[in-house]
Amino acid sequence: MESSSTASQSGSRREATRQKLYEAAVTLIAEQGFSATTVDEIAERAGVAKGTVYYNFASKSVLFEELLRHGVGLLTASLREAAERTAREGGGRVDALDAMIRAGLVFIDRYPAFTQLYVAELWRTNRAWQSTLLVVRQQAVAVVEGVLREGVAGGEFSEEIDVPLTAAALVGMVLVAALDWKAFQPERSLDDVHAALSRMLQGRVSGRG
């Protein structure tokens, strides 16, 4: 019978292998597209045998679907942690949203290829993983919705705001602004981009605040 220590080591090795495959797949697909990327190329980039890919994932499509779950899961966790940390430190809901904007930028700065793929896939309608994409998207947006609802309930935000649309707009703002930053304004620092989005969040664009 496998000991708990042996099982833990086996699980850690498998998770490390899956992480290599995620990184290889996201890089290759970002470079040349999903259809043009082969399992052989993913295995070679990850430094594993082709059979290892199929041991961990039934197909290339399943690998990509799990990649979406994994990546958006990391983003969701970082947003949630930012909101919870702000609450522990006594900050308000605007502070929490601001912290989540920064967390989103940090994530995108670390995983630009994944973010590019994720945004591109949001606009496709013929993929096998479309339903999965909608689920994981909602998980990330729901974290922002939660903070907005708390703000409305606590009187920090107007009761007239459309919570689902506002949450989606905030997430979209960070995604699109960050992709523009990475592609067209790479000389800007993360702090600079965060400051600009923070001003928008706090309604200071007009200069009247």
Side-chain angles (χ1 to χ4, degrees), residues 28-205:
L28 286 166
I29 294 171
E31 289 174 354
Q32 57 195 34
F34 177 81
S35 298
T37 300
T38 66
V39 171
D40 292 283
E41 289 173 323
I42 293 172
E44 182 179 358
R45 180 68 66 93
V48 301
K50 182 177 179 179
T52 301
V53 180
Y54 289 114
Y55 176 76
N56 286 275
F57 305 99
S59 67
K60 185 176 68 169
S61 291
V62 171
L63 167 56
F64 191 67
E65 185 172 350
E66 288 302 310
L67 170 62
L68 291 172
R69 289 184 184 276
H70 176 72
V72 179
L74 291 176
L75 172 60
T76 301
S78 67
L79 296 178
R80 183 178 295 112
E81 197 281 328
E84 292 174 350
R85 183 178 65 252
T86 302
R88 290 195 301 270
E89 294 172 353
R93 299 302 183 273
V94 172
D95 298 319
L97 292 174
D98 190 52
M100 293 164 84
I101 286 175
R102 185 174 185 85
L105 291 173
V106 169
F107 174 88
I108 295 165
D109 188 41
R110 184 175 181 183
Y111 304 108
F114 172 80
T115 306
Q116 182 180 348
L117 280 180
Y118 170 68
V119 172
E121 289 301 317
L122 283 175
W123 298 103
R124 300 182 189 275
T125 59
N126 60 342
R127 299 296 206 190
W129 50 79
Q130 188 66 24
S131 60
T132 296
L133 186 62
L134 294 176
V135 169
V136 296
R137 169 206 169 273
Q138 184 53 37
Q139 289 173 351
V141 174
V143 179
V144 183
E145 286 185 5
V147 172
L148 290 171
R149 294 187 195 284
E150 290 170 359
V152 171
E156 292 182 62
F157 303 144
S158 169
E159 294 181 357
E160 297 179 356
I161 69 169
D162 184 320
V163 170
L165 188 57
T166 302
L170 286 170
V171 173
M173 174 184 74
V174 174
L175 288 173
V176 175
L179 287 177
D180 187 90
W181 161 41
K182 302 303 289 185
F184 304 113
Q185 305 180 64
E187 72 281 358
R188 286 179 174 268
S189 68
L190 191 150
D191 287 341
D192 188 26
V193 177
H194 174 222
L197 297 186
S198 180
R199 282 191 289 272
M200 292 181 66
L201 171 68
Q202 299 179 44
R204 299 206 304 268
V205 175

Side-chain angles (χ1 to χ4, degrees), residues 1-10:
M1 185 173 178
E2 192 175 41
S3 69
S4 59
S5 176
T6 302
S8 177
Q9 291 175 358
S10 177

